[in-house]
Amino acid sequence: GAVVSQHPSRVICKSGTSVKIECRSLDFQATTMFWYRQFPKQSLMLMATSNEGSKATYEQGVEKDKFLINHASLTLSTLTVTSAHPEDSSFYICSASSGGSSYNEQFFGPGTRLTVL
Amino acid sequence: AQSVSQHNHHVILSEAASLELGCNYSYGGTVNLFWYVQYPGQHLQLLLKYFSGDPLVKGIKGFEAEFIKSKFSFNLRKPSVQWSDTAEYFCAVSLTGRRALTFGSGTRLQVQP
């Protein structure tokens, strides 16, 4: 099956710094990538949808200036958490889809655990 | 806004027992339905999906799910679980024509040998 990687798998940073998380589709071209956030013992919450070469679409309540998403190529999307605070600590998961239809399966990355001190 | 409810948060079964995990969604329109599994230390994987047609769908590893439209439900079943089925299971819904998924809170399944 299709493989999606995330880097780093784990990051600890100080409050006020910015952190970049990469999501890569390793063996297919991802026209669309999704970013989710998961709090402990809770569900995945969609943060934003990004299409290659265009601006991301953010879900209601997600600050686009805080969570910067770039989908510059068909195999790479990045999520930058700017001026991170302890409440941003969470598990961030990306998924990638190769087509434009709702029938195209999403393949998930292994997630990145962010801890903000 | 649509939501997905998974009633069982933690299920413990013995090997060979039958499994049924509940999933209900709250949206009256046409939806696509999914079950994902996350084995310990691994990423989410698709177990099965329903878009249209036969409401009983079969997935990988012997899992199946039945879509009951009148009950807004999409319960996951397996007749005989194995220790290797120990994992977290997530039900998810997307609106027809959209790819964004709304997930349930997950059910942690623990199968005892």
Side-chain angles (χ1 to χ4, degrees):
Chain A
V3 179
V4 176
S5 69
Q6 281 185 242
H7 178 78
S9 57
R10 202 178 274 271
V11 57
I12 301 172
C13 69
K14 292 182 179 179
S15 187
T17 60
S18 294
V19 174
K20 181 186 282 188
I21 301 170
E22 293 185 347
C23 176
R24 291 183 186 273
S25 57
L26 299 185
D27 50 3
F28 68 102
Q29 293 186 324
T31 54
T32 306
M33 288 184 168
F34 303 85
W35 286 95
Y36 296 85
R37 182 173 179 177
Q38 185 180 28
F39 292 102
K41 297 185 179 180
Q42 292 188 32
S43 180
L44 285 78
M45 302 292 293
L46 179 66
M47 299 174 65
T49 302
S50 74
N51 293 297
E52 185 266 337
S54 61
K55 288 185 179 180
T57 302
Y58 290 81
E59 295 298 302
Q60 194 171 11
V62 177
E63 299 176 59
K64 55 184 71 176
D65 293 331
K66 180 164 188 63
F67 299 99
L68 301 178
I69 292 172
N70 184 290
H71 191 166
S73 78
L74 285 171
T75 60
L76 174 64
S77 176
T78 60
L79 167 68
T80 301
V81 183
T82 62
S83 187
H85 287 96
E87 58 265 29
D88 298 325
S89 297
S90 191
F91 196 55
Y92 293 87
I93 302 172
C94 75
S95 70
S97 175
S98 62
S101 165
S102 60
Y103 301 103
N104 292 104
E105 182 176 344
Q106 290 185 35
F107 297 95
F108 286 81
T112 296
R113 181 158 310 280
L114 170 64
T115 303
V116 184
L117 303 176
Chain B
Q2 63 185 83
S3 65
V4 181
S5 299
Q6 291 182 243
H7 321 295
N8 318 102
H9 298 292
H10 188 190
V11 174
I12 302 174
L13 294 173
S14 298
E15 276 194 312
S18 64
L19 169 73
E20 180 159 3
L21 301 182
C23 173
N24 287 88
Y25 63 94
S26 65
Y27 183 73
T30 306
V31 296
N32 301 321
L33 299 156
F34 307 81
W35 275 97
Y36 285 87
V37 61
Q38 186 171 29
Y39 297 103
Q42 296 188 29
H43 56 272
L44 279 165
Q45 300 173 44
L46 181 66
L47 264 183
L48 47 78
K49 60 188 175 187
Y50 172 81
F51 288 141
S52 64
D54 188 345
L56 183 63
V57 292
K58 296 193 183 297
I60 60 172
K61 306 188 180 187
F63 286 91
E64 64 178 31
E66 184 175 12
F67 169 50
I68 302 179
K69 189 175 181 180
S70 61
K71 295 185 178 180
F72 299 91
S73 71
F74 190 56
N75 291 355
L76 180 71
R77 300 195 291 246
K78 186 170 183 178
S80 175
V81 295
Q82 301 172 315
W83 178 78
S84 58
D85 293 324
T86 294
E88 184 125 23
Y89 292 81
F90 293 91
C91 180
V93 175
S94 70
L95 301 179
T96 297
R98 286 202 66 201
R99 287 161 295 161
L101 296 169
T102 299
F103 282 87
S105 55
T107 297
R108 184 173 159 227
L109 172 65
Q110 189 177 342
V111 180
Q112 296 177 332

